[in-house]
């Protein structure tokens, strides 16, 4: 049976109806909350955080001039010094202390500015690109229309592929042959093979996650009890019921599928058209009529594309 | 802050500072060596034993080069009247070949006509040795009991140049020609030419604001712009106004003379070309990713492909240099084995290297391994000492990555630190020039020509812009400069630097709120120490531990006493543990000193230091500095005392005394973590890995704030917050603190103290 992609994920521990915090906390709860808050406040910052903080504090202090309530300032003011003056008698004397630059690497002279220039160039390029895009605003509207078309085509393609699978399974059931689930991917028509493959991959991934969790816990000595008496439920809960995923993977995805890759590389419109034609040829089905015609002539259907059905 | 001052390791110190006021407030000139020239009784007339008339025919400031040369030719020494030696004659011949000799008349003309003269002579022109002698023959200082002074930025230069000039003049060193450096005065009543450090002349100016014993002052190597030279220039600019009879010559090796001319009211300029060869300059096509690696590559490439000639590579610091030496050696071995290059020897060169090892750089390059083989080569990997201070002949190739370690000071976070920074264009030119001393050379700059033009600043920042000025401000105050704001410096520092210095001195009680020197300030200015150290020392008798603080001050004034060689760190750390005091690095250093002075160690101190991974040189130096400081203390009648060692307050008293000087360098631990927060500046810092202190102490004083990619405080000792409030109540005025952890902690302490006091009162 086709599985829905939105299969319930029991590994996900989100409780939608989790109990809300009580309106009034008890004294014990309050104490616990306070303790937690204090803990998070006094949490040791990581080394990197501390270093970053220290450098930030240094840079800030280096950028802040001494205030006028400084005792030295007051003494200087008595000699006629005002904020913004410089010392001595020459006019071009410095007003700011020499900048402190801590060199952190062995980069040669000019390397820093090279980097800066490169960064600026990239930045400039991005700016230019944005500018160009703005100038081509007319084309932009056109493009959006195209995008919308693509999205709708993609939706139709998905529908068409789902239908193809449904019809295949229906036929198989009637004939008593294996369903899509049980035949190798290669035997599925290229038009809808991608959809099946993606579903299997997704399942495999989920299984892999479960197994990984399982194997991790089993590697811990305290948890690694392979108890003979474990009943079925326990085994399921521990994930021991699953056959290791790599065996299945090995069989189905061991090698790439060049045909599929070629098909997937086509534009969405082309893929849609080929799938629609496939449905008509194989099952006498029209997606837009939503009807499986009894005869190959498909009498009554206006055409292959959606446009024909307007 | 806490800069290490250089001290002398000789014992030649003579009490320099004499109280100028006695009981009745009169100047006691008779006992003041600086003021000897005031004293009519002392005969300053040189005894020429009858032949002095050789020069008495000369009219002061109206002589010619020809006259002077005739006098120089002898047969009698014009200054002593004695016969001239053969050595004198042979040196004289060489002196006449020096570039400056051709312009002697021109020089005399300008010197006679102007009060101030700017003289530019490139390295090798002979200016440092010749100009002062030219001056002697025209200024004739002996005729009116004056002297000619010539300043040098470095002690070694002052000593060696004086020695050389004494030979050239055929006189004893310390006779007509002498030198004066901190803690060593090699001059006499006969001295008419005195070489001295710029710092020394500044100290003299403190006692004699007009420098009245000198008729001519020559500031040599002014282009180096040391702190002392800059202050002297500002000072002398005022003095020449007060003393029309004083002549001033500014000598510089670089062509930025315009700035000097402008500063000295458009003084005339005389330039003499040097004796240098052309140097070809090469740049890299693109910026280097790693300048050290690029430098090593370049050195090896030169060795493999260039003609004979030694290589000078500039790097930034000891560690980098030692590492580079090792790598060059390794790589060169490979080259030699493959017979792709001749033999190669590598020598490191940096300030803290023992003198014996520094001397090695002068040994010649190795000979070829076999006759007719590829010539050997010498590589010197140096800090920027080799840029100006030291001249090494034979260098033909210079590799310049463009960096040096430079002192920087920022008043906003009060940090004085050595940081690797790009050099200036002037510095790069100076480095390149080193390749052209013997023959045409090549300089490989490891940056692009564009970077050279666009990224390097023209001139290096003078020291005055890169230093904490609290010491200087104290000196200026002592020099009688009251208006510090308008003091005419060539490059005035940022106003905040002065602000911070004044504030620090005020908290140290060296300046009152009006900015006037206090009694403590006057006393502190007499010590050749940073104000914080001086104040700590002066107040230490109040804590009954002046003996110990004296030792500690000496230890803090010399290079690191602990040695930790890269290949034997573990053993070195074990040895250090023997001296460790759990309360801090200061106390640990003190333990080291006491052990060093023990009978057992003194049996063979050199071996003892070696065994215990301690620097013998540093400890010896500390011993010497201690002696010199002790003399000043005795002269100032500061009591030397100790708390009995058995007393449980022994170490506590020392820690309290530490607070009295360093209360502005305190940090408090943040929460229970590893980081500390500096008081008032709120900078997050870590204890330097070298500390003996466990992380459990909440409050610490530190000697140094080291700036790297992380902020460190180095040399730390645990203190109690009560002491801070008690000893430095002005600084620890809680109401003035920013809201935060430190303020609330201090508040808690204050409340606790108050409660205890109240309890005591009730009892």
């Amino acid at each position: 049976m086709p599985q829905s992609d939105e299969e319930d994920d029991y590994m996900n521990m989100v409780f939608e109806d989790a109990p809300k915090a009580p309106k009034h906390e008890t004294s014990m709860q309050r104490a616990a909350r306070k303790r937690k808050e204090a803990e998070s406040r006094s949490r040791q910052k990581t080394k990197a955080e501390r270093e970053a903080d220290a450098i930030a504090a240094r840079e800030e202090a280096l950028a802040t001039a001494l205030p006028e309530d400084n005792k030295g300032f007051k003494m200087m003011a008595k000699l006629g010094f005002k904020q913004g003056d410089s010392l001595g008698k020459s006019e071009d004397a410095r007003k700011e202390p020499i900048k402190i630059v801590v060199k952190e690497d062995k980069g040669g002279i000019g390397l820093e500015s090279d980097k800066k220039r490169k960064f600026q160039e990239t930045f400039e390029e991005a700016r230019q690109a944005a500018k160009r895009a703005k100038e081509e605003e007319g084309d932009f509207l056109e493009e959006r229309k195209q995008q919308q078309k693509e999205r709708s085509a993609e939706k139709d393609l998905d529908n068409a592929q789902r239908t193809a699978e449904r019809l295949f399974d229906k036929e198989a059931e009637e004939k008593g042959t294996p369903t899509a689930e049980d035949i190798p991917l290669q035997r599925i028509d290229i038009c809808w093979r991608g959809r099946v493959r993606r579903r299997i991959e997704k399942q495999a991934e989920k299984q892999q996650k479960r197994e990984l969790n399982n194997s991790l816990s089993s590697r811990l000595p305290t948890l690694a009890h392979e108890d003979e008496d474990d009943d079925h439920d326990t085994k399921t809960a521990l994930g021991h019921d699953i056959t290791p995923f790599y065996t299945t993977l090995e069989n189905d995805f061991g090698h790439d599928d060049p045909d599929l890759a070629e098909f997937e590389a086509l534009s969405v419109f082309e893929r849609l058209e080929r799938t629609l034609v496939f449905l008509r040829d194989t099952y006498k089905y029209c997606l837009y009529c939503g009807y499986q015609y009894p005869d190959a002539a498909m009498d009554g259907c206006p055409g292959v594309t959606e446009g024909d059905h307007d | 802050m806490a800069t290490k001052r250089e001290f002398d390791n000789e014992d030649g110190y003579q009490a320099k500072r004499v109280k100028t006021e006695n009981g009745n407030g009169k100047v006691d000139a008779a006992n003041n060596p600086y003021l000897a020239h005031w004293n009519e009784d002392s005969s300053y007339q040189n005894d020429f034993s009858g032949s002095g008339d050789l020069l008495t025919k000369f009219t002061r400031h109206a002589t010619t080069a020809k006259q002077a040369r005739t006098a120089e030719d002898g047969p009698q020494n014009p200054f002593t009247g004695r016969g001239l030696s053969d050595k004198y004659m042979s040196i004289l011949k060489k002196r006449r070949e020096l570039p400056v000799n051709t312009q002697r008349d021109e020089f005399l003309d300008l010197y006679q006509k102007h009060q101030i003269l700017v003289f530019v002579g490139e390295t090798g022109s002979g200016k440092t040795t010749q100009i002062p002698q030219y001056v002697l023959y025209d200024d004739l200082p002996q005729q009116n009991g004056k002297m000619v002074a010539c300043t040098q930025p470095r002690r070694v230069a002052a000593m060696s140049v004086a020695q050389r000039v004494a030979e050239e003049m055929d006189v004893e060193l310390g006779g007509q020609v002498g030198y004066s450096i901190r803690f060593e005065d090699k001059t006499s009543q006969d001295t008419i030419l005195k070489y001295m450090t710029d710092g020394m002349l500044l100290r003299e100016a403190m006692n004699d604001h007009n420098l009245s014993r000198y008729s001519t002052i020559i500031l040599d190597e002014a282009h180096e712009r040391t702190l002392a030279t800059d202050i002297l220039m500002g000072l002398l600019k005022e003095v020449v106004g007060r003393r029309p009879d004083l002549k001033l010559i500014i000598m510089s090796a670089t062509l930025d003379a315009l700035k000097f001319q402008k500063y000295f009211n458009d003084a005339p300029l005389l330039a003499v070309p040097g004796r240098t060869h052309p140097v070809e300059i090469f740049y890299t096509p693109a910026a280097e990713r790693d300048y050290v690696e690029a430098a090593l590559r370049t050195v090896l490439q030169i060795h493999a492909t260039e003609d004979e000639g030694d290589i000078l590579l500039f790097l930034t610091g000891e560690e980098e240099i030692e590492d580079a030496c090792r790598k060059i050696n390794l790589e060169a071995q490979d080259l030699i084995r493959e017979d792709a290059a001749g033999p190669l020897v590598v020598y490191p060169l940096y300030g803290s290297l023992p003198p014996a090892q520094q001397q090695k750089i002068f040994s010649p390059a190795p000979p070829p391994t076999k006759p007719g083989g590829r010539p050997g080569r010498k590589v010197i990997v140096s800090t920027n000492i080799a840029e100006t201070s030291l001249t090494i002949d034979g260098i033909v190739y210079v590799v310049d990555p463009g960096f040096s370690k430079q002192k920087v000071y920022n008043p906003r976070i009060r940090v004085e630190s050595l940081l690797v920074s790009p050099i200036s264009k002037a510095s790069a030119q100076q480095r390149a020039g080193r390749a052209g001393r013997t023959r045409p050379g090549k300089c490989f700059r490891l940056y692009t020509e564009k970077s050279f033009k666009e990224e390097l600043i023209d001139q290096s920042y003078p020291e005055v812009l890169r230093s904490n000025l609290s010491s200087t401000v104290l000196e200026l105050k002592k020099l009688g400069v009251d208006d510090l704001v308008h003091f005419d410096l060539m490059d005035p520092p940022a106003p905040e630097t002065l602000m911070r210095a004044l504030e620090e001195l005020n908290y140290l009680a060296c300046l009152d709120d009006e900015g006037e020197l206090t009694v403590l300030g006057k006393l502190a200015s007499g010590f050749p120490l940073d104000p914080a150290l001086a104040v700590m020392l002066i107040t230490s008798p109040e804590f009954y531990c002046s003996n110990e603080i004296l030792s500690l001050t000496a230890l803090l004034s010399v290079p690191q006493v602990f040695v930790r060689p890269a290949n034997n760190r573990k053993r070195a750390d074990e040895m250090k543990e023997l001296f460790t005091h759990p309360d801090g690095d200061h106390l640990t250093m003190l333990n080291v000193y006491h052990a060093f002075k023990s009978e057992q160690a003194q049996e063979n101190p050199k071996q003892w230091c070696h065994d215990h991974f301690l620097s013998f040189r540093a400890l010896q130096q500390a011993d010497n500095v201690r002696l010199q400081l002790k003399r000043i203390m005795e002269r100032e009648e500061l009591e030397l005392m100790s708390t009995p060692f058995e007393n449980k307050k022994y170490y506590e008293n020392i820690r309290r005394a530490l607070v009295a000087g360093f209360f502005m360098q305190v940090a408090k631990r943040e929460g229970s973590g590893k980081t500390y927060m500096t008081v008032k500046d709120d900078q997050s810092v870590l204890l330097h890995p070298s500390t003996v202190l466990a992380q459990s102490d909440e409050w610490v004083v530190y000697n140094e704030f080291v700036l790297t990619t992380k902020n460190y405080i180095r040399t730390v000792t645990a203190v109690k917050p009560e002491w801070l409030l008690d000893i430095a109540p002005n600084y620890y005025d809680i109401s003035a603190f920013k809201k935060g952890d430190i303020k609330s902690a201090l508040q808690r302490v204050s409340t606790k103290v108050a409660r205890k006091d109240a309890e005591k009162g009730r009892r």
Side-chain angles (χ1 to χ4, degrees):
Chain A
M1 278 274 93
Q3 278 173 286
S4 89
D5 285 351
E6 293 76 37
E7 179 194 28
D8 186 34
D9 180 6
Y10 56 86
M11 294 300 288
N12 191 341
M13 299 284 275
V14 175
F15 301 99
E16 297 210 289
D17 51 351
K20 301 274 183 308
K23 261 189 186 164
H24 304 284
E25 48 182 11
T26 64
S27 64
M28 259 168 74
Q29 281 169 327
R30 188 164 51 244
R33 179 173 58 81
K34 286 259 157 93
R35 197 177 57 238
K36 252 190 192 157
E37 282 170 5
E39 267 169 20
S40 75
R41 263 203 307 274
S42 70
R43 177 184 74 91
Q44 285 292 318
K45 286 184 176 174
T46 67
K47 212 172 153 193
E49 279 174 325
R50 280 200 313 265
E51 274 170 29
D53 283 358
I55 289 169
R58 185 169 82 198
E59 292 309 316
E60 198 200 321
L62 284 174
T64 314
L66 296 180
E68 289 195 13
D69 64 357
N70 179 290
K71 280 187 169 186
F73 185 92
K74 288 178 189 161
M75 287 185 220
M76 285 160 69
K78 279 178 198 145
L79 296 166
F81 178 82
K82 293 182 301 297
Q83 191 73 270
D85 285 358
S86 53
L87 299 181
K89 290 185 177 152
S90 55
E91 293 119 41
D92 54 349
R94 63 170 47 243
K95 291 179 176 153
E96 291 267 308
I98 293 174
K99 279 215 168 68
I100 285 188
V101 182
V102 179
K103 186 168 172 55
E104 297 183 13
D105 55 16
K106 296 274 178 205
I109 304 261
L111 191 68
E112 247 345 271
S113 48
D114 258 16
K115 274 187 199 157
K116 255 183 224 157
R117 200 178 46 241
K118 269 189 195 131
F119 175 77
Q120 244 159 18
E121 276 167 14
T122 337
F123 182 76
E124 187 60 24
E125 261 167 40
R127 213 176 58 85
Q128 289 291 345
K131 206 173 151 198
R132 240 177 316 184
K134 231 179 188 176
E135 279 164 5
E136 293 160 3
E137 191 131 23
D139 298 348
F140 179 66
L141 289 175
E142 192 62 31
E143 201 171 303
R144 257 187 49 188
K145 230 182 241 168
Q146 180 70 10
Q147 279 172 352
Q148 235 156 14
K149 267 192 195 162
E150 263 177 50
R151 267 200 298 276
S152 117
E154 235 156 293
K155 222 167 105 192
D156 287 352
L157 176 63
D158 190 53
N159 270 330
Q161 290 176 327
R162 183 152 19 106
T163 310
E165 186 172 1
R166 185 170 54 85
L167 292 171
F168 178 86
D169 284 350
K170 198 174 117 193
E171 206 177 78
E173 233 166 86
E174 282 165 5
K175 288 182 187 163
T177 50
T179 57
E181 286 266 276
D182 298 321
I183 59 166
L185 276 173
Q186 277 73 20
R187 277 180 48 199
I188 295 173
D189 190 274
I190 196 83
C191 288
W192 55 285
R193 195 190 296 164
R195 182 185 157 82
V196 180
R197 180 174 165 145
R198 272 191 293 278
R199 191 181 62 229
I200 295 173
E201 274 171 352
K202 210 166 175 182
Q203 268 172 275
E205 208 176 295
K206 248 178 218 172
Q207 196 173 337
Q208 192 176 359
K209 243 188 238 165
R210 264 182 81 195
E211 281 180 28
L212 190 68
N213 275 337
N214 184 47
S215 67
L216 279 179
S217 61
S218 68
R219 236 178 269 133
L220 295 171
T222 47
L223 290 169
H225 50 87
E226 192 71 41
D227 213 329
E228 293 287 306
D229 311 335
D230 274 357
D231 56 22
H232 181 71
D233 288 347
T234 316
K235 277 189 179 164
T236 311
L238 289 173
H240 292 171
D241 59 324
I242 307 159
T243 38
F245 67 90
Y246 42 85
T247 49
T248 50
L249 255 187
E250 211 71 39
N251 289 338
D252 270 342
F253 306 108
H255 46 84
D256 246 333
D257 190 337
D259 296 342
L260 181 60
E262 197 183 311
F263 177 76
E264 298 268 316
L266 296 173
S267 82
V268 64
F269 302 107
E270 207 158 329
R271 273 180 288 156
L272 176 61
E273 200 183 326
R274 279 178 64 171
T275 312
L276 290 174
V277 171
F278 166 80
L279 283 175
R280 299 175 83 90
D281 290 354
T282 318
Y283 302 111
K284 304 180 281 291
Y285 186 87
C286 171
L287 187 71
Y288 301 108
C289 301
Y291 182 68
Q292 191 170 21
Y293 288 89
D295 53 76
M298 293 179 72
D299 217 2
C301 177
V304 180
T305 63
E306 187 179 19
D308 297 337
H309 289 75
D310 279 341
Chain B
M1 263 172 285
T3 45
K4 292 210 159 62
R5 293 286 194 86
E6 251 192 63
F7 283 88
D8 179 24
N9 23 5
E10 281 95 320
D11 280 344
Y13 178 75
Q14 280 162 7
K16 276 288 166 213
R17 191 175 172 282
V18 173
K19 282 185 181 167
T20 46
E21 286 176 341
N22 55 19
N24 51 33
K26 273 188 188 159
V27 175
D28 187 5
N31 294 328
N32 189 335
Y34 289 131
L35 306 179
H37 54 291
W38 286 7
N39 202 331
E40 289 306 315
D41 298 337
S42 67
S43 70
Y44 49 70
Q45 292 295 335
N46 288 300
D47 180 12
F48 291 136
S49 47
S51 54
D53 34 282
L54 261 177
L55 292 179
T56 47
K57 287 184 213 130
F58 282 34
T59 318
R60 213 171 156 243
H61 297 164
T63 65
T64 62
K66 201 178 161 210
Q67 276 180 300
R69 282 194 194 112
T70 315
E72 276 173 355
D73 286 338
Q76 281 169 313
N77 189 323
F79 293 100
T80 63
R82 288 195 292 267
L84 291 163
S85 66
D86 293 345
K87 194 178 168 197
Y88 171 90
M89 290 303 178
S90 77
I91 297 178
L92 184 63
K93 217 179 132 206
K94 278 188 205 141
R95 284 173 56 200
R96 296 272 161 87
E97 287 162 14
L98 285 167
V100 276
N101 188 49
T102 55
Q103 277 162 290
R104 189 165 182 171
D105 264 321
E106 218 176 314
F107 167 77
L108 285 175
D109 186 47
L110 286 172
Y111 172 74
Q112 287 158 359
K113 285 191 187 136
H114 298 90
Q115 194 179 9
I116 309 175
L117 171 63
V118 177
F119 186 95
V120 171
E122 288 174 40
T123 331
S125 63
K127 66 176 186 322
T128 304
T129 51
Q130 304 309 303
I131 293 293
Q133 295 186 61
Y134 296 175
V135 168
L136 282 185
Y137 278 93
D138 187 62
D139 199 28
L140 307 166
Q142 66 278 13
Q143 287 184 1
N144 42 16
K146 303 272 182 186
M147 278 193 284
V148 170
C150 180
T151 66
Q152 298 292 318
R154 280 170 301 277
R155 304 153 31 84
V156 185
M159 283 159 68
S160 59
V161 174
Q163 173 72 50
R164 169 73 191 174
V165 173
E167 277 171 29
E168 289 189 0
M169 288 175 62
D170 214 7
V171 297
E172 290 272 313
L173 182 61
Q176 272 73 15
V177 180
Y179 66 84
S180 172
I181 56 180
R182 203 191 312 251
F183 304 131
E184 192 178 349
D185 185 2
K186 201 149 181 74
T187 61
S188 64
Q189 282 198 347
D190 292 338
T191 303
I192 50 173
L193 172 56
K194 181 154 119 183
Y195 284 92
M196 63 208 300
T197 55
D198 45 10
M200 207 56 222
L201 187 60
L202 201 54
R203 291 231 137 219
E204 285 192 10
M206 284 189 195
N207 292 286
D208 175 6
H209 295 346
N210 283 332
L211 291 163
S212 45
R213 64 198 327 201
Y214 302 105
S215 52
T216 298
I217 291 173
I218 305 168
L219 298 184
D220 197 7
E221 316 288 351
H223 62 277
E224 288 198 26
R225 305 290 309 279
T226 60
L227 191 50
T229 292
D230 269 16
I231 304 291
L232 271 176
M233 288 199 293
L235 215 58
L236 286 167
K237 206 175 160 178
E238 290 178 4
V239 175
V240 289
R242 294 199 294 265
R243 276 190 58 196
D245 62 312
L246 178 71
K247 286 195 181 281
L248 180 61
I249 303 173
I250 311 295
M251 297 209 289
S252 162
T254 51
L255 287 161
D256 59 329
L258 259 178
K259 200 169 176 181
F260 290 105
Q261 282 185 279
K262 198 176 154 226
Y263 178 67
F264 284 108
N265 319 315
D266 299 316
L269 169 79
L270 181 64
V272 174
R275 231 195 264 164
T276 47
H277 301 273
V279 175
E280 209 179 335
I281 304 212
F282 298 88
Y283 293 96
T284 53
E288 293 291 344
R289 233 158 237 303
D290 181 331
Y291 69 85
V292 180
E293 202 221 88
L296 301 184
R297 229 187 313 118
T298 311
V299 165
L300 290 163
Q301 203 186 332
I302 293 170
H303 182 49
T305 59
E306 294 282 345
D307 293 342
E308 197 172 353
D310 298 335
I311 307 172
L312 175 60
L313 163 61
F314 287 100
L315 287 178
T316 63
E318 179 178 341
E319 208 178 317
E320 199 176 82
I321 287 171
E322 289 289 357
D323 194 44
C325 285
R326 249 191 317 275
K327 283 180 180 153
I328 293 174
N329 250 327
L330 273 174
E331 297 280 336
Q333 295 311 318
D334 284 350
L335 281 178
I336 295 161
R337 211 172 305 123
E338 292 160 16
D339 202 29
L344 183 80
V345 279
V346 190
Y347 299 113
L349 177 62
Y350 44 85
S352 59
L353 203 67
Q357 265 173 287
Q358 284 196 16
Q359 281 303 313
K360 280 191 189 163
I361 61 162
F362 296 110
S363 44
T369 30
K370 52 181 184 280
R374 287 164 173 273
R377 209 190 290 271
K378 170 169 83 175
V379 179
I380 293 159
V381 187
S382 170
T383 60
N384 51 351
I385 334 184
E387 198 176 297
T388 46
S389 323
L390 267 167
T391 298
I392 312 150
D393 287 327
I395 299 291
V396 179
Y397 306 99
V398 164
V399 181
D400 173 21
F403 290 102
S404 72
K405 248 187 202 163
Q406 291 162 30
K407 183 170 76 175
V408 286
Y409 172 70
N410 191 294
R412 294 179 178 173
I413 57 171
R414 292 187 289 170
V415 63
E416 193 175 68
S417 219
L418 281 169
L419 290 181
V420 173
S421 321
I423 58 170
S424 65
K425 287 194 183 85
S427 215
Q429 303 292 37
Q430 185 78 22
R431 286 179 173 193
R434 296 276 117 176
R437 297 277 301 174
T438 1
R439 62 182 173 88
K442 289 179 181 174
C443 174
F444 298 84
R445 291 186 176 153
L446 304 181
Y447 37 89
T448 63
E449 189 167 7
K450 190 167 180 276
S451 290
F452 173 79
K453 284 184 182 147
E454 290 174 6
E455 302 215 357
L456 301 189
I457 52 170
D458 289 341
Q459 297 290 333
S460 309
Y461 292 121
E463 203 181 353
V464 71
L465 300 183
R466 299 184 281 115
S467 306
N468 178 351
L469 294 184
S470 57
S471 243
T472 306
V473 167
L474 200 58
E475 277 169 359
L476 283 170
K477 276 282 168 192
K478 194 72 201 308
L479 287 163
V481 177
D482 284 322
D483 188 353
L484 294 167
V485 169
H486 300 105
F487 183 61
D488 191 7
L489 282 167
M490 200 162 164
D491 281 295
E496 286 170 67
T497 307
L498 178 60
M499 235 174 260
R500 203 48 121 174
L502 289 167
E503 183 197 42
E504 274 180 30
L505 290 167
N506 178 260
Y507 280 127
L508 284 168
C510 290
L511 294 180
D512 61 21
D513 287 350
E514 305 300 309
E516 295 307 318
L517 269 183
T518 60
V519 178
L520 179 61
K522 278 186 194 135
L523 208 50
S525 72
F527 285 87
L529 296 168
D530 269 341
L533 277 170
V535 165
M536 171 171 85
L537 190 54
I538 294 166
T539 51
S540 60
E542 292 171 33
F543 300 92
Y544 309 104
C545 58
S546 43
N547 278 319
E548 286 74 15
I549 292 297
L550 182 59
S551 308
L552 191 57
T553 307
L555 288 162
L556 291 173
S557 308
V558 299
Q560 178 63 261
V561 294
F562 295 103
V563 180
R564 198 164 179 262
N567 55 4
N568 217 348
R569 291 203 177 121
K570 201 168 156 263
R571 184 89 185 115
D573 291 344
E574 281 168 13
M575 280 299 150
K576 187 174 175 182
E577 217 145 283
L578 293 178
F579 305 105
T580 294
H581 189 289
D583 282 334
D585 299 313
H586 295 91
L587 303 181
T588 302
M589 283 164 77
L590 202 56
N591 284 348
V592 167
Y593 183 73
H594 288 156
F596 174 69
K597 295 300 279 179
S598 71
E599 245 174 69
Q600 186 202 348
Q602 285 300 312
E603 268 174 29
N604 187 353
K606 212 169 176 177
Q607 185 61 40
W608 184 84
C609 286
H610 183 261
D611 292 346
H612 291 84
F613 289 85
L614 298 168
S615 162
F616 176 57
R617 224 159 62 92
L619 281 167
Q620 217 180 13
Q621 225 176 319
D623 216 17
N624 181 36
V625 170
R626 188 184 192 279
L627 185 73
Q628 290 155 7
L629 294 173
K630 188 173 165 227
R631 289 193 184 134
I632 303 179
M633 285 188 81
E634 283 165 352
R635 203 178 58 221
E636 300 295 350
E637 289 167 5
L638 293 164
E639 209 175 338
L640 286 158
M641 55 168 103
S642 295
T643 307
F645 189 69
E646 309 76 48
N647 191 313
K648 65 173 193 246
K649 296 256 178 185
Y650 178 81
Y651 283 112
E652 187 185 315
N653 283 342
I654 296 169
R655 285 156 68 199
R656 280 170 173 270
L658 208 53
V659 168
F662 286 89
F663 56 85
M664 283 180 277
Q665 285 164 237
V666 173
K668 183 195 173 291
R669 198 173 46 152
E670 284 186 289
S672 55
K674 273 186 184 167
T675 50
Y676 283 72
M677 189 70 98
T678 60
V679 167
K680 291 212 177 174
D681 296 327
D682 298 324
Q683 291 299 299
S684 174
V685 293
L686 294 168
L687 300 186
H688 194 269
S690 67
T691 189
V692 300
L693 209 59
Q695 302 279 353
S696 55
D697 295 286
E698 210 182 350
W699 297 83
V700 295
V701 292
Y702 58 89
N703 187 53
E704 252 183 303
F705 184 145
V706 191
L707 204 63
T708 59
T709 45
K710 286 176 195 153
N711 299 336
Y712 283 118
I713 48 175
R714 188 154 59 190
T715 316
V716 289
T717 284
V719 293
K720 296 224 170 94
E722 299 89 293
W723 304 344
L724 302 173
L725 297 173
D726 179 33
I727 295 166
N730 275 339
Y731 193 74
Y732 289 89
D733 171 10
I734 300 175
S735 64
F737 272 74
K738 255 187 277 174
K739 210 177 148 209
D741 177 40
I742 290 178
K743 180 170 183 153
S744 43
L746 287 170
Q747 251 155 357
R748 277 196 303 276
V749 173
S750 162
T751 323
K752 201 175 87 187
V753 171
R755 199 172 51 230
K756 264 192 187 161
D757 286 351
E759 272 170 27
K760 256 185 223 160
R762 236 175 285 136
R763 251 180 253 137

